[in-house]
Amino acid sequence: MLRAVLQRAESIARGSGAVLLEGWQRVRRREPIHTQFKSSPFDPVTEYDHRSEAFIVAALRDSFPDHCVVGEEGGDYRTDCSARLQWQIDPLDGTVNFSHGFPCFAVSLGLLLDGEPILGVVYDPVHDELFAAARGLGATLNGQPILVSETAELSRSLLSTGFPYQRACNPRNNIRECGRFVLRAQELRRMGSAALDLCWVACGRTDGYWELDVRPHDIAAGIVMVREAGGQVSDTRGGLEMLARGEVVASNGRIHQAMLRLLQSEEDLEPVASC
Ligand code: IPD
Ligand code: CA
Ligand code: CA
């Protein structure tokens, strides 16, 4: 059953990716697209966030009328959310990148069973990369199996992270944590798409990723991807309440404890006297 759902979700993600790609090409041609701001000027939402969500929700409702569908942009639709199966949809993850013509964004479809992520599809239309995974079925990139990296030390690890939109007034803005990782990891990147951050851990492009203020639609699909690729996902305490706590630590497993130690540390690291 899961395999058939995965195939349908892959096709829906490709369809919404085509919607996004058309918008992105308009941005690249410097054509105006309709953009509003949610919590602050840091937090844009474009007409393509809405178009992609409308496409996905219509397709999911048609294919799976018994499932609950929750989209980030909360369009005007109603589904039965007492259902055990719930979709968490991010119709455009990486809106800031998208709106600048920066080629790093994706559509993310995650399926929860009783609140637990069991299936995920993430599609990056610019690079035509489709990540797909389901519990017990493994993780793939364009149909080929993927695995996490084997890096075992933080000092040799390439990591990524992200920051909340309301970072200027959010005490959990990740600035202090980031400072610790900058001093301990080989390098740190800020990609701008949580869904792709997780997929890139899953396929070994990066060794780990963490973020402290994320929503289920950002991470549900990617959590399945990392686990099915052999990696580890937890909250910052090492527990499994990522969705409830809105935080995620994902890694190849080998550097997981080292990442948790740095995240749990109270001290601010200083540069050492000599390198
Ligand atoms: C955001 C991106 C970003 C992450 C933010 C998310 P959006 O999602 O995933 O990388 O740092 O926490 O909100 O708003 O582009 O869908
Ligand atoms: Ca998002
Ligand atoms: Ca989004």
Side-chain angles (χ1 to χ4, degrees):
M1 173 264 193
L2 225 43
R3 208 176 286 278
V5 176
L6 192 59
Q7 276 175 3
R8 185 71 195 114
E10 288 176 17
S11 147
I12 294 170
R14 282 192 184 279
S16 62
V19 173
L20 295 182
L21 195 58
E22 184 225 287
W24 189 72
Q25 282 157 350
R26 283 182 57 197
V27 174
R28 300 283 287 189
R29 290 196 298 270
R30 310 275 171 104
E31 290 174 23
I33 59 166
H34 188 250
T35 304
Q36 292 168 295
F37 297 93
K38 295 197 274 187
S39 58
S40 75
F42 293 177
D43 191 2
V45 58
T46 73
E47 61 181 273
Y48 284 92
D49 296 68
H50 295 294
R51 284 191 195 191
S52 172
E53 181 159 299
F55 177 93
I56 295 164
V57 171
L60 285 177
R61 293 187 73 180
D62 187 48
S63 306
F64 310 111
D66 301 339
H67 297 186
C68 162
V69 180
V70 179
E72 177 185 9
E73 308 307 340
D76 185 20
Y77 50 83
R78 301 277 177 276
T79 55
D80 174 13
C81 282
S82 61
R84 296 182 66 197
L85 287 162
Q86 178 186 98
W87 291 91
Q88 282 285 340
I89 305 307
D90 194 332
L92 169 45
D93 186 50
T95 299
V96 172
N97 287 345
F98 176 91
S99 64
H100 286 264
F102 188 86
C104 184
F105 58 88
V107 45
S108 179
L109 313 183
L111 180 62
L112 314 183
L113 172 62
D114 296 331
E116 178 63 25
I118 57 163
L119 178 149
V121 172
V122 175
Y123 182 53
D124 164 358
V126 173
H127 302 100
D128 189 24
E129 289 196 329
L130 185 108
F131 295 87
R135 197 158 69 185
L137 297 181
T140 57
L141 165 52
N142 290 345
Q144 299 301 313
I146 52 175
L147 288 176
V148 293
S149 70
E150 295 181 356
T151 313
E153 290 156 35
L154 217 45
S155 60
R156 292 177 182 234
S157 294
L158 180 60
L159 305 180
S160 70
T161 190
F163 303 94
Y165 284 116
Q166 285 157 331
R167 49 192 169 267
C169 56
N170 181 347
R172 304 198 72 214
N173 63 10
N174 200 20
I175 304 294
R176 293 181 76 175
E177 291 80 359
C178 220
R180 293 182 209 131
F181 280 97
V182 165
L183 294 177
R184 290 290 182 268
Q186 187 180 58
E187 263 295 3
L188 188 56
R189 302 283 180 254
R190 197 289 194 243
M191 247 63 96
S193 162
L196 287 178
D197 282 301
L198 287 161
C199 290
W200 290 8
V201 172
C203 70
R205 287 179 193 164
T206 56
D207 305 296
Y209 156 72
W210 85 94
E211 194 159 340
L212 304 182
D213 189 10
V214 282
R215 307 273 87 82
H217 55 256
D218 296 310
I219 59 173
I223 287 173
V224 188
M225 218 71 68
V226 173
R227 284 180 174 157
E228 288 297 317
Q232 188 173 348
V233 187
S234 74
D235 57 38
T236 58
R237 303 171 312 173
L240 295 176
E241 293 179 41
M242 294 82 69
L243 302 187
R245 293 171 62 86
E247 56 183 40
V248 64
V249 187
S251 77
N252 62 8
R254 298 182 181 211
I255 60 164
H256 208 84
Q257 288 308 316
M259 287 184 73
L260 291 182
R261 271 196 299 277
L262 270 195
L263 285 166
Q264 289 162 7
S265 157
E266 290 294 319
E267 35 172 324
D268 282 329
L269 297 180
E270 298 293 337
V272 287
S274 86
C275 290

